[in-house]
Amino acid sequence: MTGPPGGASAPAGQGSQPGTPGAQRPGASKQARDRDPGGRPRNARPRDGLGRPLPRGQAGEERIPDDLAVPPYEAISLAQGLLDSGRPFHAHEVLEASWKAAPPAERELWKGLAQIAVGLTHARRGNATGAAALLRRGGQRVGRYAGAAPHGIDAGTIARQASSLADRIDTDGLAAAAGPGADFRLT
């Protein structure tokens, strides 16, 4: 095993290069990670309206519970209300909970809807590349259910709209995400 020049080893808890085990981002604290009762990592930091973490102790937006369990029609209604009120990150959380709870035959549909909501979140955050990529990926997943989507979800229209919006973002930039065709209807 080699260490830094001069034969000295790296200080305990720090790898010799970023990305190596034990390496830590510059300026990062050694605070323990938030964990749920099952030991899975969770981030309990408050979040802004677009899901970005805020400093601990600062007031943030109300979060969607990690264990949200609602019937599909209620999830669609809740997600639509969040999309309509300009809160695509929160809509994504609702759709992600439905994806994780869905029967196997529906998981890709819910995953695609969640990805579209994340794409809209990236657009609102100013990330054109991420927005277009997730809108396309989500639209492709949802499009597989065109004509046969459960729960009244208009999969064909949603898939076409996601693809079209991604193309417009690529061509015209993020202004396209605030223009016509950027409001999604799930049913």
Side-chain angles (χ1 to χ4, degrees):
M1 180 167 157
T2 62
S9 61
Q14 293 182 350
S16 59
Q17 296 181 8
T20 59
Q24 188 174 343
R25 281 181 307 165
S29 70
K30 282 262 189 187
Q31 188 171 29
R33 289 186 78 179
D34 300 319
R35 303 259 176 201
D36 68 9
R40 291 178 299 275
R42 296 285 184 235
N43 190 335
R45 285 174 54 189
R47 304 251 176 184
D48 71 5
L50 293 175
R52 294 175 291 220
L54 297 170
R56 292 183 191 280
Q58 196 171 37
E61 292 274 322
E62 187 174 334
R63 305 268 308 261
I64 302 296
D66 287 333
D67 60 351
L68 179 71
V70 296
Y73 289 102
E74 190 175 330
I76 292 165
S77 177
L78 180 55
Q80 187 66 62
L82 291 164
L83 289 171
D84 291 347
S85 66
R87 299 178 64 192
F89 176 79
H90 297 85
H92 141 264
E93 289 184 317
V94 170
L95 296 165
E96 183 178 55
S98 294
W99 151 32
K100 292 178 178 179
E106 294 179 17
R107 285 196 185 124
E108 288 294 298
L109 172 67
W110 291 101
K111 184 175 185 178
L113 293 171
Q115 287 176 320
I116 290 169
V118 172
L120 296 171
T121 301
H122 279 291
R124 301 264 324 256
R125 290 178 177 176
N127 177 0
T129 302
L134 280 157
L135 285 165
R136 269 195 195 88
R137 195 176 311 143
Q140 288 169 352
R141 279 194 165 92
V142 171
R144 296 178 195 145
Y145 291 83
H151 315 295
I153 296 169
D154 189 356
T157 299
I158 293 168
R160 286 187 299 277
Q161 185 180 3
S163 177
S164 175
L165 183 55
D167 289 345
R168 289 195 328 270
I169 289 171
D170 283 343
T171 303
D172 302 329
L174 289 171
D183 294 329
F184 279 79
R185 299 294 320 155
L186 301 177
T187 55

